[in-house]
Amino acid sequence: MLSDDETIEQSSQPFPYYTRFTSNHALFGDKSVARWYQLNLITIYKDSIGTVLSKIWLINTSTLKLEEVCDERTKIYAILSHRWEDEEISFNEMQKPELIAEKRGFWKIIRLCELALIDEYKYVWADTCCINKQSSAELTEAINSMFRWYKAAAICYVFLSDVDSNTPSKGSKEQQITDSVWFERGWTLQELLAPSNVAFYDSQWSFLGTKQTLRGVLTRRTGIEEAALDGTPLSGYSIAQRMSWAAPRKTTRTKDIAYCLLGLFQVNMPMLYGEGTRAFLRLQEEIIKQSDDHTIFAWPIGERDQTGLLADSPASFANCRDVKALTMRRGRLPYSMTNRGLSCKLVAKPFVTDTYLVRLDCLDYANEAVYRAAFGGDHFPQYHMGIFLRRLDEDDQYARVEHQGNTFIHATAATWNKLPSANILALVKSQKAKEEKDFPEVFRYIKAHVSQYNLKPSEEQCVARLNGFRIATQKWLQRSSSGEPLFSVSDSVWDSQKSTMCRRAGQHGYMGTLDVTRQRCRIQQLQLGFDFEYNPVCFIFGATELRPRTYLADLFNSEKNIQHCRRIWFDAHDWSEVNANRDAWDLEGHQGIWALKGDRLWGLKARLLSRLEPRSEYIASIEIWRGAMPNRFVWNARFENLERPQNEAPCESGRLAEPGETNWREKSNKSTTPHAHRSKPKL
């Protein structure tokens, strides 16, 4: 090494030029560059790695002895990146080199020291023999410090033992480098990214190139952007992008796939024995403690039982290299891991029964070319990503699910604000053909706890949902002698074979209307739907004689009726009360109309009474309950309607006359409000 008092001419390029080779070793073409490195390195360290210190063992290249250093910044050293093979030497074996002279791993260290001496480095570090693995504390400290050690190294020598540039029959140099197993190992990812200067050598220690000169080959092989290879801070890349770089890599032990990524995310965590895949979950838990980047949730479901928001391994992020986080001026709501799972508050929209479309603050630029083609230029809306969460039996517990094989939906910002599924695009090609309509805003924040436990595919929570109802009363689905139906279904997709009325995914609230006016019933029309919590909701409209005529014009105007229903699907007031006997009276302000809300688990069961029916007889009964179809969950709806007696004729008002009664106005002025002293009606 050059002495400290030597004067040198400053160089503008701090990486050595490799211009000539002797005994398969690369030499500095300009020693002033090496000296520039030594004088400026300490300043570089202070700016880049902060003040965190840890003990490190370094090999003296002249004596081959291990020396303990308390601050890696005080020494200038080279570092080795390689793939572990047979006969690697350990920390203890390095204490007695005379006993391991015949081991292949020892000769790897010898060649490393020779190369470092030629390049004028006094110290080297290798992960095989510079970590005392018998000490769990020292091993944990080394694993948590390793990224920083590679970053602090003056140069990293990458030894590719399966590349032989002097044997053309094995292919070109670039092809051999691309095919090297070194790129498949988990630990080598940080060894590629952390050091500023990386030099590659083949199995004969012949120089292959640097990270800069091989930038194109490395980018194509790893999927890592050139800017990241050139030293752009990794914090500028989303969590999903960094995970995608590790997706194809493997480690010998399952838990090491998490430990080898600690430095990429600037987190620390202790090592635990026997935790297996749990280590990667702990890594993600540590990441979300200091980052609100939603891309950590932006991985596609690979297995049906992946019901949590956190992935099982980096392999889940294999297709996420273009997923980027949105910058939020106001920031995002915090989320954290609790004993009830990952607790988060997210923007959500009801999508299909029990299932919500949840917005993630991130974008996937993988379809950028499609967007450009669809919009004819660079000006196209940004498509936010959304995932599906299904509400479980416990009100605040959710599980992540797919919808018809899709993990994500991409939607514009306008869609997330107020528009229905007509503008939610799984495919952007038909985007311009979508028509914006005036729908109510149904996006709200939901407080969700998402557990990482896996649901069995046979469990009810994993079964697909029918976004609607099945009519279980075949009596209402009658046809005339000529085959003409005596009922009609509107604002819904009717399946006559399955007796289901439903709407497409993303359409929420009002599910459709069943009209049986042509039948001799006291109930003429039913409107079914769900509120935001997916409680079943039913509006029941009695026959003409049960409702004031002045109200009919507004009520049965179809457009106004639909708007009215959409207005009150989420209304917390004006619901028919159901007493302990399951008796339900019509609305006080709207006689002859029942507005009933059930429970999302237990459904609804009630018997209908009207304030305008003086005999206090039951008008009808209704039952809505959870059921099942082949491979599908469905809500069943059954109605038992009392038929109008054959010998009974309506009065002038349209209301059925009581025996002996000739006119509505001549009827005594009795209260129509139900009272406790009235006899209990019989069904």
Side-chain angles (χ1 to χ4, degrees), residues 329-602:
R329 181 175 181 180
R330 296 183 178 180
R332 302 180 185 89
L333 293 175
Y335 47 87
S336 60
M337 187 60 66
T338 70
N339 57 2
R340 291 183 59 77
L342 183 64
S343 177
C344 52
K345 193 173 183 181
L346 300 168
V347 176
K349 174 190 184 298
F351 192 76
V352 71
T353 306
D354 295 333
T355 307
Y356 295 84
L357 177 61
V358 175
R359 186 186 73 189
L360 299 181
D361 293 328
C362 55
L363 307 173
D364 188 355
Y365 285 88
N367 295 322
E368 186 172 352
V370 179
Y371 299 155
R372 293 182 186 275
F375 290 90
D378 296 334
H379 301 287
F380 53 86
Q382 292 182 328
Y383 283 79
H384 297 212
M385 300 178 69
I387 60 175
F388 303 104
L389 292 183
R390 179 162 294 164
R391 198 175 190 184
L392 306 182
D393 290 351
E394 295 180 78
D395 286 344
D396 62 348
Q397 285 288 333
Y398 292 77
R400 189 178 180 188
V401 294
E402 295 177 321
H403 175 70
Q404 296 180 350
N406 296 317
T407 298
F408 302 111
I409 276 185
H410 302 272
T412 62
T415 302
W416 289 110
N417 288 337
K418 64 177 181 179
L419 299 181
S421 63
N423 279 337
I424 297 179
L425 308 177
L427 297 175
V428 191
K429 296 180 181 178
S430 58
Q431 190 284 131
K432 289 187 175 180
K434 302 299 180 181
E435 183 178 333
E436 295 186 4
K437 299 180 180 179
D438 184 19
F439 276 72
E441 297 184 9
V442 291
F443 281 96
R444 296 182 183 178
Y445 280 103
I446 62 171
K447 183 63 178 292
H449 294 92
V450 186
S451 178
Q452 282 300 128
Y453 69 85
N454 294 331
L455 298 176
K456 297 180 181 178
S458 59
E459 292 189 20
E460 180 183 309
Q461 287 88 347
C462 293
V463 178
R465 263 55 172 168
L466 179 75
N467 197 38
F469 294 83
R470 178 172 61 184
I471 305 301
T473 308
Q474 295 299 318
K475 184 178 179 181
W476 277 37
L477 308 179
Q478 299 179 21
R479 293 180 178 269
S480 64
S481 57
S482 62
E484 183 181 1
L486 299 179
F487 67 94
S488 64
V489 177
S490 58
D491 302 318
S492 184
V493 178
W494 172 253
D495 187 331
S496 59
Q497 299 295 324
K498 300 177 181 178
S499 301
T500 58
M501 50 187 296
C502 58
R503 305 188 76 186
R504 69 176 181 267
Q507 292 183 319
H508 177 67
Y510 173 58
M511 291 288 113
T513 299
L514 176 64
D515 195 312
V516 292
T517 304
R518 299 184 59 186
Q519 302 182 30
R520 188 179 178 82
C521 301
R522 294 187 178 184
I523 299 299
Q524 293 185 347
Q525 191 179 93
L526 298 105
Q527 296 183 347
L528 296 169
F530 302 98
D531 64 5
F532 189 90
E533 306 292 333
Y534 275 111
N535 297 304
V537 175
C538 181
F539 293 144
I540 304 174
F541 300 89
T544 306
E545 64 270 13
L546 296 179
R547 288 179 279 112
R549 290 179 179 274
T550 56
Y551 192 67
L552 298 183
D554 288 337
L555 187 62
F556 280 98
N557 180 294
S558 109
E559 183 62 29
K560 287 186 178 180
N561 186 25
I562 292 174
Q563 294 298 329
H564 172 73
C565 292
R566 284 179 179 157
R567 177 179 61 82
I568 65 176
W569 284 128
F570 306 109
D571 193 351
H573 308 288
D574 295 332
W575 295 103
S576 299
E577 293 186 6
V578 181
N579 62 21
N581 295 323
R582 295 180 177 173
D583 298 334
W585 294 89
D586 50 3
L587 298 175
E588 186 172 357
H590 304 290
Q591 288 82 4
I593 301 177
W594 290 262
L596 300 172
K597 178 184 290 191
D599 181 82
R600 69 180 188 90
L601 298 179
W602 305 111

Side-chain angles (χ1 to χ4, degrees), residues 585-656:
W585 294 89
D586 50 3
L587 298 175
E588 186 172 357
H590 304 290
Q591 288 82 4
I593 301 177
W594 290 262
L596 300 172
K597 178 184 290 191
D599 181 82
R600 69 180 188 90
L601 298 179
W602 305 111
L604 170 67
K605 192 172 184 179
R607 294 173 295 188
L608 308 184
L609 293 164
S610 173
R611 290 175 169 82
L612 295 181
E613 178 55 61
R615 291 168 298 186
S616 299
E617 292 183 349
Y618 287 122
I619 306 300
S621 66
I622 177 175
E623 184 177 5
I624 300 177
W625 74 98
R626 298 163 70 98
M629 298 173 62
N631 300 321
R632 191 172 293 268
F633 167 87
V634 66
W635 278 101
N636 296 296
R638 177 189 293 128
F639 305 92
E640 297 296 335
N641 202 332
L642 294 179
E643 296 184 357
R644 181 183 302 163
Q646 295 288 339
N647 59 352
E648 200 168 48
C651 301
E652 292 180 5
S653 63
R655 169 187 161 278
L656 290 180

